[in-house]
PDB file of all heavy atoms in Angstrom:
ATOM      1  N   PRO A 125       0.825  -1.210   0.011  1.00 88.00           N
ATOM      2  CA  PRO A 125      -0.001   0.003   0.015  1.00 88.00           C
ATOM      3  C   PRO A 125       0.849   1.274  -0.003  1.00 88.00           C
ATOM      4  O   PRO A 125       1.977   1.260   0.523  1.00 88.00           O
ATOM      5  CB  PRO A 125      -0.838  -0.123   1.267  1.00 88.00           C
ATOM      6  CG  PRO A 125      -0.158  -1.151   2.095  1.00 88.00           C
ATOM      7  CD  PRO A 125       0.742  -1.947   1.242  1.00 88.00           C
ATOM      8  N   GLU A 126       0.305   2.316  -0.585  1.00 86.00           N
ATOM      9  CA  GLU A 126       1.011   3.582  -0.673  1.00 86.00           C
ATOM     10  C   GLU A 126       1.066   4.222   0.721  1.00 86.00           C
ATOM     11  O   GLU A 126       0.124   4.186   1.499  1.00 86.00           O
ATOM     12  CB  GLU A 126       0.321   4.519  -1.639  1.00 86.00           C
ATOM     13  CG  GLU A 126       0.186   3.961  -3.045  1.00 86.00           C
ATOM     14  CD  GLU A 126      -0.599   4.867  -3.938  1.00 86.00           C
ATOM     15  OE1 GLU A 126      -0.154   6.014  -4.141  1.00 86.00           O
ATOM     16  OE2 GLU A 126      -1.670   4.455  -4.407  1.00 86.00           O
ATOM     17  N   THR A 127       2.216   4.862   0.973  1.00 82.00           N
ATOM     18  CA  THR A 127       2.425   5.455   2.313  1.00 82.00           C
ATOM     19  C   THR A 127       1.471   6.644   2.524  1.00 82.00           C
ATOM     20  O   THR A 127       0.892   6.802   3.592  1.00 82.00           O
ATOM     21  CB  THR A 127       3.873   5.914   2.481  1.00 82.00           C
ATOM     22  OG1 THR A 127       4.735   4.778   2.218  1.00 82.00           O
ATOM     23  CG2 THR A 127       4.129   6.418   3.886  1.00 82.00           C
ATOM     24  N   GLY A 128       1.311   7.505   1.542  1.00 82.00           N
ATOM     25  CA  GLY A 128       0.522   8.719   1.699  1.00 82.00           C
ATOM     26  C   GLY A 128      -0.931   8.602   1.285  1.00 82.00           C
ATOM     27  O   GLY A 128      -1.629   9.617   1.200  1.00 82.00           O
ATOM     28  N   ALA A 129      -1.401   7.398   1.030  1.00 83.00           N
ATOM     29  CA  ALA A 129      -2.785   7.211   0.566  1.00 83.00           C
ATOM     30  C   ALA A 129      -3.751   7.411   1.731  1.00 83.00           C
ATOM     31  O   ALA A 129      -3.405   7.215   2.902  1.00 83.00           O
ATOM     32  CB  ALA A 129      -2.975   5.845  -0.045  1.00 83.00           C
ATOM     33  N   ASN A 130      -4.990   7.806   1.402  1.00 88.00           N
ATOM     34  CA  ASN A 130      -5.985   7.962   2.459  1.00 88.00           C
ATOM     35  C   ASN A 130      -6.386   6.570   2.967  1.00 88.00           C
ATOM     36  O   ASN A 130      -6.027   5.537   2.423  1.00 88.00           O
ATOM     37  CB  ASN A 130      -7.205   8.720   1.947  1.00 88.00           C
ATOM     38  CG  ASN A 130      -7.913   8.014   0.775  1.00 88.00           C
ATOM     39  OD1 ASN A 130      -8.351   6.912   0.869  1.00 88.00           O
ATOM     40  ND2 ASN A 130      -7.960   8.688  -0.362  1.00 88.00           N
ATOM     41  N   TYR A 131      -7.207   6.606   4.036  1.00 87.00           N
ATOM     42  CA  TYR A 131      -7.523   5.325   4.735  1.00 87.00           C
ATOM     43  C   TYR A 131      -8.226   4.365   3.811  1.00 87.00           C
ATOM     44  O   TYR A 131      -7.906   3.164   3.796  1.00 87.00           O
ATOM     45  CB  TYR A 131      -8.419   5.644   5.951  1.00 87.00           C
ATOM     46  CG  TYR A 131      -9.007   4.397   6.564  1.00 87.00           C
ATOM     47  CD1 TYR A 131      -8.231   3.601   7.428  1.00 87.00           C
ATOM     48  CD2 TYR A 131     -10.312   3.987   6.297  1.00 87.00           C
ATOM     49  CE1 TYR A 131      -8.747   2.441   7.972  1.00 87.00           C
ATOM     50  CE2 TYR A 131     -10.818   2.832   6.856  1.00 87.00           C
ATOM     51  CZ  TYR A 131     -10.056   2.073   7.697  1.00 87.00           C
ATOM     52  OH  TYR A 131     -10.557   0.938   8.244  1.00 87.00           O
ATOM     53  N   TRP A 132      -9.187   4.803   2.997  1.00 89.00           N
ATOM     54  CA  TRP A 132      -9.992   3.900   2.192  1.00 89.00           C
ATOM     55  C   TRP A 132      -9.136   3.246   1.100  1.00 89.00           C
ATOM     56  O   TRP A 132      -9.224   2.052   0.860  1.00 89.00           O
ATOM     57  CB  TRP A 132     -11.182   4.653   1.590  1.00 89.00           C
ATOM     58  CG  TRP A 132     -11.976   5.336   2.634  1.00 89.00           C
ATOM     59  CD1 TRP A 132     -12.034   6.678   2.877  1.00 89.00           C
ATOM     60  CD2 TRP A 132     -12.823   4.725   3.614  1.00 89.00           C
ATOM     61  NE1 TRP A 132     -12.863   6.922   3.935  1.00 89.00           N
ATOM     62  CE2 TRP A 132     -13.364   5.764   4.421  1.00 89.00           C
ATOM     63  CE3 TRP A 132     -13.176   3.413   3.885  1.00 89.00           C
ATOM     64  CZ2 TRP A 132     -14.255   5.521   5.449  1.00 89.00           C
ATOM     65  CZ3 TRP A 132     -14.064   3.171   4.928  1.00 89.00           C
ATOM     66  CH2 TRP A 132     -14.563   4.194   5.692  1.00 89.00           C
ATOM     67  N   VAL A 133      -8.313   4.060   0.446  1.00 88.00           N
ATOM     68  CA  VAL A 133      -7.434   3.500  -0.610  1.00 88.00           C
ATOM     69  C   VAL A 133      -6.403   2.543   0.023  1.00 88.00           C
ATOM     70  O   VAL A 133      -6.143   1.466  -0.506  1.00 88.00           O
ATOM     71  CB  VAL A 133      -6.728   4.627  -1.395  1.00 88.00           C
ATOM     72  CG1 VAL A 133      -5.703   4.048  -2.365  1.00 88.00           C
ATOM     73  CG2 VAL A 133      -7.762   5.495  -2.124  1.00 88.00           C
ATOM     74  N   ARG A 134      -5.843   2.951   1.134  1.00 88.00           N
ATOM     75  CA  ARG A 134      -4.848   2.110   1.781  1.00 88.00           C
ATOM     76  C   ARG A 134      -5.446   0.790   2.248  1.00 88.00           C
ATOM     77  O   ARG A 134      -4.815  -0.264   2.140  1.00 88.00           O
ATOM     78  CB  ARG A 134      -4.251   2.841   2.965  1.00 88.00           C
ATOM     79  CG  ARG A 134      -3.091   2.115   3.636  1.00 88.00           C
ATOM     80  CD  ARG A 134      -2.447   2.949   4.723  1.00 88.00           C
ATOM     81  NE  ARG A 134      -1.348   2.234   5.363  1.00 88.00           N
ATOM     82  CZ  ARG A 134      -0.108   2.165   4.908  1.00 88.00           C
ATOM     83  NH1 ARG A 134       0.201   2.821   3.812  1.00 88.00           N
ATOM     84  NH2 ARG A 134       0.802   1.485   5.523  1.00 88.00           N
ATOM     85  N   HIS A 135      -6.691   0.816   2.722  1.00 86.00           N
ATOM     86  CA  HIS A 135      -7.363  -0.431   3.149  1.00 86.00           C
ATOM     87  C   HIS A 135      -7.513  -1.381   1.966  1.00 86.00           C
ATOM     88  O   HIS A 135      -7.238  -2.583   2.108  1.00 86.00           O
ATOM     89  CB  HIS A 135      -8.712  -0.090   3.758  1.00 86.00           C
ATOM     90  CG  HIS A 135      -9.512  -1.314   4.136  1.00 86.00           C
ATOM     91  ND1 HIS A 135      -9.129  -2.192   5.129  1.00 86.00           N
ATOM     92  CD2 HIS A 135     -10.660  -1.806   3.597  1.00 86.00           C
ATOM     93  CE1 HIS A 135     -10.008  -3.160   5.214  1.00 86.00           C
ATOM     94  NE2 HIS A 135     -10.925  -2.978   4.304  1.00 86.00           N
ATOM     95  N   ARG A 136      -7.948  -0.876   0.829  1.00 89.00           N
ATOM     96  CA  ARG A 136      -8.102  -1.737  -0.348  1.00 89.00           C
ATOM     97  C   ARG A 136      -6.770  -2.287  -0.805  1.00 89.00           C
ATOM     98  O   ARG A 136      -6.661  -3.447  -1.209  1.00 89.00           O
ATOM     99  CB  ARG A 136      -8.780  -0.946  -1.481  1.00 89.00           C
ATOM    100  CG  ARG A 136     -10.185  -0.470  -1.157  1.00 89.00           C
ATOM    101  CD  ARG A 136     -11.103  -1.645  -1.009  1.00 89.00           C
ATOM    102  NE  ARG A 136     -11.271  -2.366  -2.231  1.00 89.00           N
ATOM    103  CZ  ARG A 136     -12.381  -2.343  -2.949  1.00 89.00           C
ATOM    104  NH1 ARG A 136     -13.431  -1.671  -2.508  1.00 89.00           N
ATOM    105  NH2 ARG A 136     -12.468  -3.027  -4.094  1.00 89.00           N
ATOM    106  N   GLU A 137      -5.719  -1.448  -0.743  1.00 88.00           N
ATOM    107  CA  GLU A 137      -4.416  -1.934  -1.163  1.00 88.00           C
ATOM    108  C   GLU A 137      -3.836  -2.936  -0.178  1.00 88.00           C
ATOM    109  O   GLU A 137      -3.122  -3.858  -0.583  1.00 88.00           O
ATOM    110  CB  GLU A 137      -3.466  -0.731  -1.297  1.00 88.00           C
ATOM    111  CG  GLU A 137      -3.817   0.178  -2.459  1.00 88.00           C
ATOM    112  CD  GLU A 137      -2.921   1.400  -2.551  1.00 88.00           C
ATOM    113  OE1 GLU A 137      -2.236   1.691  -1.581  1.00 88.00           O
ATOM    114  OE2 GLU A 137      -2.953   2.061  -3.603  1.00 88.00           O
ATOM    115  N   GLU A 138      -4.170  -2.810   1.097  1.00 87.00           N
ATOM    116  CA  GLU A 138      -3.733  -3.807   2.068  1.00 87.00           C
ATOM    117  C   GLU A 138      -4.399  -5.163   1.812  1.00 87.00           C
ATOM    118  O   GLU A 138      -3.779  -6.213   1.958  1.00 87.00           O
ATOM    119  CB  GLU A 138      -4.034  -3.330   3.496  1.00 87.00           C
ATOM    120  CG  GLU A 138      -3.111  -2.237   3.989  1.00 87.00           C
ATOM    121  CD  GLU A 138      -3.482  -1.740   5.351  1.00 87.00           C
ATOM    122  OE1 GLU A 138      -4.568  -2.143   5.849  1.00 87.00           O
ATOM    123  OE2 GLU A 138      -2.708  -0.948   5.940  1.00 87.00           O
ATOM    124  N   LEU A 139      -5.679  -5.119   1.414  1.00 87.00           N
ATOM    125  CA  LEU A 139      -6.359  -6.378   1.069  1.00 87.00           C
ATOM    126  C   LEU A 139      -5.724  -7.016  -0.135  1.00 87.00           C
ATOM    127  O   LEU A 139      -5.588  -8.242  -0.206  1.00 87.00           O
ATOM    128  CB  LEU A 139      -7.836  -6.076   0.815  1.00 87.00           C
ATOM    129  CG  LEU A 139      -8.678  -5.605   1.999  1.00 87.00           C
ATOM    130  CD1 LEU A 139     -10.117  -5.333   1.549  1.00 87.00           C
ATOM    131  CD2 LEU A 139      -8.646  -6.636   3.116  1.00 87.00           C
ATOM    132  N   LEU A 140      -5.312  -6.204  -1.124  1.00 89.00           N
ATOM    133  CA  LEU A 140      -4.644  -6.764  -2.305  1.00 89.00           C
ATOM    134  C   LEU A 140      -3.304  -7.381  -1.902  1.00 89.00           C
ATOM    135  O   LEU A 140      -2.986  -8.497  -2.339  1.00 89.00           O
ATOM    136  CB  LEU A 140      -4.414  -5.636  -3.330  1.00 89.00           C
ATOM    137  CG  LEU A 140      -3.548  -5.965  -4.519  1.00 89.00           C
ATOM    138  CD1 LEU A 140      -4.206  -7.057  -5.373  1.00 89.00           C
ATOM    139  CD2 LEU A 140      -3.274  -4.744  -5.379  1.00 89.00           C
ATOM    140  N   ALA A 141      -2.509  -6.681  -1.091  1.00 89.00           N
ATOM    141  CA  ALA A 141      -1.222  -7.214  -0.681  1.00 89.00           C
ATOM    142  C   ALA A 141      -1.396  -8.487   0.135  1.00 89.00           C
ATOM    143  O   ALA A 141      -0.631  -9.446  -0.017  1.00 89.00           O
ATOM    144  CB  ALA A 141      -0.455  -6.167   0.110  1.00 89.00           C
ATOM    145  N   ARG A 142      -2.432  -8.527   0.977  1.00 87.00           N
ATOM    146  CA  ARG A 142      -2.655  -9.718   1.783  1.00 87.00           C
ATOM    147  C   ARG A 142      -3.033 -10.903   0.919  1.00 87.00           C
ATOM    148  O   ARG A 142      -2.654 -12.041   1.178  1.00 87.00           O
ATOM    149  CB  ARG A 142      -3.750  -9.430   2.804  1.00 87.00           C
ATOM    150  CG  ARG A 142      -3.902 -10.492   3.876  1.00 87.00           C
ATOM    151  CD  ARG A 142      -4.987 -10.117   4.851  1.00 87.00           C
ATOM    152  NE  ARG A 142      -4.764  -8.825   5.434  1.00 87.00           N
ATOM    153  CZ  ARG A 142      -5.647  -8.152   6.145  1.00 87.00           C
ATOM    154  NH1 ARG A 142      -6.858  -8.654   6.332  1.00 87.00           N
ATOM    155  NH2 ARG A 142      -5.341  -6.980   6.665  1.00 87.00           N
ATOM    156  N   ALA A 143      -3.844 -10.666  -0.128  1.00 88.00           N
ATOM    157  CA  ALA A 143      -4.237 -11.740  -1.040  1.00 88.00           C
ATOM    158  C   ALA A 143      -3.012 -12.284  -1.808  1.00 88.00           C
ATOM    159  O   ALA A 143      -2.922 -13.492  -2.059  1.00 88.00           O
ATOM    160  CB  ALA A 143      -5.278 -11.260  -2.007  1.00 88.00           C
ATOM    161  N   LEU A 144      -2.075 -11.384  -2.147  1.00 88.00           N
ATOM    162  CA  LEU A 144      -0.861 -11.848  -2.850  1.00 88.00           C
ATOM    163  C   LEU A 144       0.105 -12.527  -1.907  1.00 88.00           C
ATOM    164  O   LEU A 144       1.081 -13.155  -2.357  1.00 88.00           O
ATOM    165  CB  LEU A 144      -0.176 -10.657  -3.496  1.00 88.00           C
ATOM    166  CG  LEU A 144      -0.863 -10.121  -4.775  1.00 88.00           C
ATOM    167  CD1 LEU A 144      -0.245  -8.827  -5.219  1.00 88.00           C
ATOM    168  CD2 LEU A 144      -0.770 -11.154  -5.896  1.00 88.00           C
ATOM    169  N   GLY A 145      -0.110 -12.439  -0.596  1.00 85.00           N
ATOM    170  CA  GLY A 145       0.766 -13.092   0.344  1.00 85.00           C
ATOM    171  C   GLY A 145       0.360 -14.514   0.685  1.00 85.00           C
ATOM    172  O   GLY A 145       1.052 -15.181   1.453  1.00 85.00           O
ATOM    173  N   GLU A 146      -0.737 -14.991   0.128  1.00 83.00           N
ATOM    174  CA  GLU A 146      -1.222 -16.336   0.419  1.00 83.00           C
ATOM    175  C   GLU A 146      -0.603 -17.330  -0.588  1.00 83.00           C
ATOM    176  O   GLU A 146      -0.835 -17.215  -1.776  1.00 83.00           O
ATOM    177  CB  GLU A 146      -2.739 -16.356   0.355  1.00 83.00           C
ATOM    178  CG  GLU A 146      -3.408 -15.512   1.397  1.00 83.00           C
ATOM    179  CD  GLU A 146      -4.910 -15.560   1.289  1.00 83.00           C
ATOM    180  OE1 GLU A 146      -5.416 -16.225   0.384  1.00 83.00           O
ATOM    181  OE2 GLU A 146      -5.591 -14.935   2.145  1.00 83.00           O
ATOM    182  N   ASP A 147       0.146 -18.278  -0.050  1.00 88.00           N
ATOM    183  CA  ASP A 147       0.758 -19.323  -0.882  1.00 88.00           C
ATOM    184  C   ASP A 147       0.122 -20.673  -0.575  1.00 88.00           C
ATOM    185  O   ASP A 147      -0.582 -20.839   0.431  1.00 88.00           O
ATOM    186  CB  ASP A 147       2.263 -19.389  -0.628  1.00 88.00           C
ATOM    187  CG  ASP A 147       3.000 -18.151  -1.122  1.00 88.00           C
ATOM    188  OD1 ASP A 147       2.478 -17.488  -2.042  1.00 88.00           O
ATOM    189  OD2 ASP A 147       4.083 -17.846  -0.595  1.00 88.00           O
ATOM    190  N   GLU A 148       0.393 -21.609  -1.463  1.00 89.00           N
ATOM    191  CA  GLU A 148      -0.143 -22.976  -1.287  1.00 89.00           C
ATOM    192  C   GLU A 148       0.999 -23.984  -1.319  1.00 89.00           C
ATOM    193  O   GLU A 148       2.023 -23.759  -1.970  1.00 89.00           O
ATOM    194  CB  GLU A 148      -1.149 -23.303  -2.422  1.00 89.00           C
ATOM    195  CG  GLU A 148      -2.392 -22.442  -2.412  1.00 89.00           C
ATOM    196  CD  GLU A 148      -3.337 -22.831  -3.539  1.00 89.00           C
ATOM    197  OE1 GLU A 148      -2.910 -23.631  -4.388  1.00 89.00           O
ATOM    198  OE2 GLU A 148      -4.451 -22.308  -3.557  1.00 89.00           O
ATOM    199  N   ILE A 149       0.809 -25.078  -0.621  1.00 88.00           N
ATOM    200  CA  ILE A 149       1.802 -26.162  -0.628  1.00 88.00           C
ATOM    201  C   ILE A 149       1.639 -26.965  -1.929  1.00 88.00           C
ATOM    202  O   ILE A 149       0.529 -27.290  -2.335  1.00 88.00           O
ATOM    203  CB  ILE A 149       1.635 -27.057   0.604  1.00 88.00           C
ATOM    204  CG1 ILE A 149       1.912 -26.283   1.868  1.00 88.00           C
ATOM    205  CG2 ILE A 149       2.535 -28.290   0.483  1.00 88.00           C
ATOM    206  CD1 ILE A 149       1.770 -27.093   3.132  1.00 88.00           C
ATOM    207  N   VAL A 150       2.761 -27.267  -2.553  1.00 86.00           N
ATOM    208  CA  VAL A 150       2.763 -28.072  -3.778  1.00 86.00           C
ATOM    209  C   VAL A 150       2.963 -29.535  -3.361  1.00 86.00           C
ATOM    210  O   VAL A 150       3.979 -29.895  -2.727  1.00 86.00           O
ATOM    211  CB  VAL A 150       3.886 -27.629  -4.736  1.00 86.00           C
ATOM    212  CG1 VAL A 150       3.860 -28.469  -6.009  1.00 86.00           C
ATOM    213  CG2 VAL A 150       3.736 -26.153  -5.064  1.00 86.00           C
ATOM    214  N   GLU A 151       2.009 -30.350  -3.726  1.00 82.00           N
ATOM    215  CA  GLU A 151       2.095 -31.776  -3.432  1.00 82.00           C
ATOM    216  C   GLU A 151       2.801 -32.513  -4.580  1.00 82.00           C
ATOM    217  O   GLU A 151       2.296 -32.516  -5.693  1.00 82.00           O
ATOM    218  CB  GLU A 151       0.721 -32.362  -3.214  1.00 82.00           C
ATOM    219  CG  GLU A 151      -0.033 -31.808  -2.014  1.00 82.00           C
ATOM    220  CD  GLU A 151       0.566 -32.288  -0.738  1.00 82.00           C
ATOM    221  OE1 GLU A 151       1.352 -33.280  -0.745  1.00 82.00           O
ATOM    222  OE2 GLU A 151       0.251 -31.686   0.350  1.00 82.00           O
ATOM    223  N   PRO A 152       3.993 -33.055  -4.348  1.00 77.00           N
ATOM    224  CA  PRO A 152       4.637 -33.791  -5.425  1.00 77.00           C
ATOM    225  C   PRO A 152       3.885 -35.067  -5.773  1.00 77.00           C
ATOM    226  O   PRO A 152       3.225 -35.684  -4.949  1.00 77.00           O
ATOM    227  CB  PRO A 152       6.023 -34.096  -4.853  1.00 77.00           C
ATOM    228  CG  PRO A 152       5.814 -34.119  -3.373  1.00 77.00           C
ATOM    229  CD  PRO A 152       4.756 -33.089  -3.092  1.00 77.00           C
ATOM    230  N   ARG A 153       3.999 -35.442  -7.048  1.00 73.00           N
ATOM    231  CA  ARG A 153       3.305 -36.653  -7.489  1.00 73.00           C
ATOM    232  C   ARG A 153       4.016 -37.892  -6.956  1.00 73.00           C
ATOM    233  O   ARG A 153       5.247 -37.902  -6.797  1.00 73.00           O
ATOM    234  CB  ARG A 153       3.272 -36.703  -9.024  1.00 73.00           C
ATOM    235  CG  ARG A 153       2.404 -35.597  -9.650  1.00 73.00           C
ATOM    236  CD  ARG A 153       2.313 -35.830 -11.156  1.00 73.00           C
ATOM    237  NE  ARG A 153       1.757 -37.120 -11.470  1.00 73.00           N
ATOM    238  CZ  ARG A 153       0.438 -37.367 -11.534  1.00 73.00           C
ATOM    239  NH1 ARG A 153      -0.410 -36.394 -11.285  1.00 73.00           N
ATOM    240  NH2 ARG A 153      -0.006 -38.594 -11.825  1.00 73.00           N
ATOM    241  N   THR A 154       3.229 -38.900  -6.654  1.00 71.00           N
ATOM    242  CA  THR A 154       3.819 -40.143  -6.172  1.00 71.00           C
ATOM    243  C   THR A 154       4.435 -40.973  -7.284  1.00 71.00           C
ATOM    244  O   THR A 154       5.219 -41.885  -7.018  1.00 71.00           O
ATOM    245  CB  THR A 154       2.723 -40.976  -5.464  1.00 71.00           C
ATOM    246  OG1 THR A 154       1.622 -41.201  -6.370  1.00 71.00           O
ATOM    247  CG2 THR A 154       2.207 -40.222  -4.245  1.00 71.00           C
ATOM    248  N   SER A 155       4.066 -40.689  -8.522  1.00 70.00           N
ATOM    249  CA  SER A 155       4.633 -41.409  -9.666  1.00 70.00           C
ATOM    250  C   SER A 155       4.878 -40.418 -10.796  1.00 70.00           C
ATOM    251  O   SER A 155       4.305 -39.330 -10.840  1.00 70.00           O
ATOM    252  CB  SER A 155       3.704 -42.531 -10.125  1.00 70.00           C
ATOM    253  OG  SER A 155       2.450 -42.011 -10.540  1.00 70.00           O
TER     254      SER A 155
END
């Protein structure tokens, strides 16, 4: 999120950054 953004813009940008921070475990194939 931008440092000087207002509260509403910063909140939306924090949600975007939080969504990009979610990773998933890769399950290797057994064969």
Side-chain angles (χ1 to χ4, degrees):
E126 302 176 62
T127 305
N130 61 60
Y131 170 79
W132 305 107
V133 174
R134 186 175 179 84
H135 175 67
R136 297 294 294 252
E137 291 177 346
E138 286 177 353
L139 294 178
L140 171 65
R142 191 180 304 169
L144 285 171
E146 297 179 357
D147 293 335
E148 296 180 351
I149 296 179
V150 181
E151 296 289 345
R153 294 186 58 85
T154 56
S155 60

